[in-house]
């Protein structure tokens, strides 16, 4: 069940992801209940984690997807940002030292996590896809002022991490 087209080259949701999958992930993060079978696998909800910034968000198509996502109602919002469900895919970019994880939400591909924590999670994301499943997590959008009166939307994804990070 490999991804033949990189997720950033797909308009909308890539590789069989359905809006219903994201709605079910949203429901899980709001209630803690897994009620929809085995299609979605939460990313280690019982472990310590950190929100990591995404790379690739400055490309035109990714900026447009990010703006579309920010216009939707979040799962919840607090002083740190607005939160949305996210599905992780193996990013097909090849680097000998790093294996990035692609992050998708309602508007499609948003960006990729390149941190060591993403590389550590990458085999699990691949294994889930090979079993016909998707790993889910949370995406946080922060609106940051940019000189010149514009606002930049900065996305980050929750991944398991060591507590000494």
């Amino acid at each position: 069940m490999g991804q033949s087209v990189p997720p950033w080259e797909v308009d909308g949701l890539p590789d069989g992801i359905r809006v219903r999958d994201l709605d079910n992930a949203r429901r899980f993060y709001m209630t803690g209940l897994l009620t929809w079978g085995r299609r979605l696998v939460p990313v280690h909800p019982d472990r310590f984690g950190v929100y990591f910034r995404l790379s690739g968000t400055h490309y035109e198509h990714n900026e447009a997807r990010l703006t579309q996502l920010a216009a939707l109602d979040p799962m919840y919002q607090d002083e740190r940002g607005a939160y949305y469900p996210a599905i992780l895919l193996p990013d097909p970019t090849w680097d000998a030292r790093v294996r990035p994880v692609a992050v998708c939400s309602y508007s499609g591909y948003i960006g990729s996590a390149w941190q060591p924590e993403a590389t550590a999670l990458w085999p699990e994301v691949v294994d889930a896809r090979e079993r016909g499943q998707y790993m889910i997590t949370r995406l946080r959008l922060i609106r940051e002022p940019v000189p010149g009166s514009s606002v930049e939307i900065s996305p980050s994804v929750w991944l398991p991490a060591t507590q000494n990070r």
Side-chain angles (χ1 to χ4, degrees):
M1 285 213 161
Q3 173 100 13
S4 59
V5 178
W8 51 84
E9 292 183 11
V10 176
D11 290 331
L13 297 173
D15 196 25
I17 298 171
R18 305 175 307 217
V19 170
R20 182 175 156 202
D21 295 323
L22 289 156
D23 289 343
N24 288 334
R26 173 189 289 256
R27 189 173 305 113
F28 169 74
Y29 287 114
M30 296 305 295
T31 66
L33 299 175
L34 289 169
T35 59
W36 58 90
R38 298 180 182 262
R39 185 170 163 89
L40 304 179
V41 180
V43 174
H44 303 287
D46 57 341
R47 293 208 9 225
F48 175 78
V50 175
Y51 281 91
F52 294 97
R53 288 198 141 187
L54 299 180
S55 297
T57 59
H58 64 285
Y59 293 107
E60 183 179 345
H61 293 305
N62 299 345
E63 282 183 357
R65 292 180 191 117
L66 188 55
T67 301
Q68 290 170 357
L69 181 61
L72 300 175
D73 288 332
M75 291 187 297
Y76 59 97
Q77 192 162 352
D78 62 20
E79 66 281 352
R80 293 171 296 219
Y83 299 82
Y84 297 84
I87 290 178
L88 302 179
L89 297 173
D91 184 314
T93 305
W94 174 253
D95 185 297
R97 299 162 289 139
V98 178
R99 294 310 316 245
V101 175
V103 179
C104 299
S105 194
Y106 286 105
S107 56
Y109 173 81
I110 301 297
S112 292
W114 282 73
Q115 295 78 6
E117 290 80 0
T119 297
L121 189 63
W122 192 85
E124 290 182 56
V125 174
V126 170
D127 288 346
R129 287 304 308 125
E130 289 174 353
R131 292 188 312 267
Q133 299 173 312
Y134 294 103
M135 293 196 79
I136 59 172
T137 189
R138 297 171 305 279
L139 176 67
R140 179 172 67 189
L141 304 185
I142 300 172
R143 294 181 184 272
E144 300 176 315
V146 174
S149 75
S150 65
V151 174
E152 180 178 308
I153 303 168
S154 178
S156 56
V157 64
W158 186 94
L159 298 176
T162 59
Q163 291 197 24
N164 61 1
R165 183 159 210 345

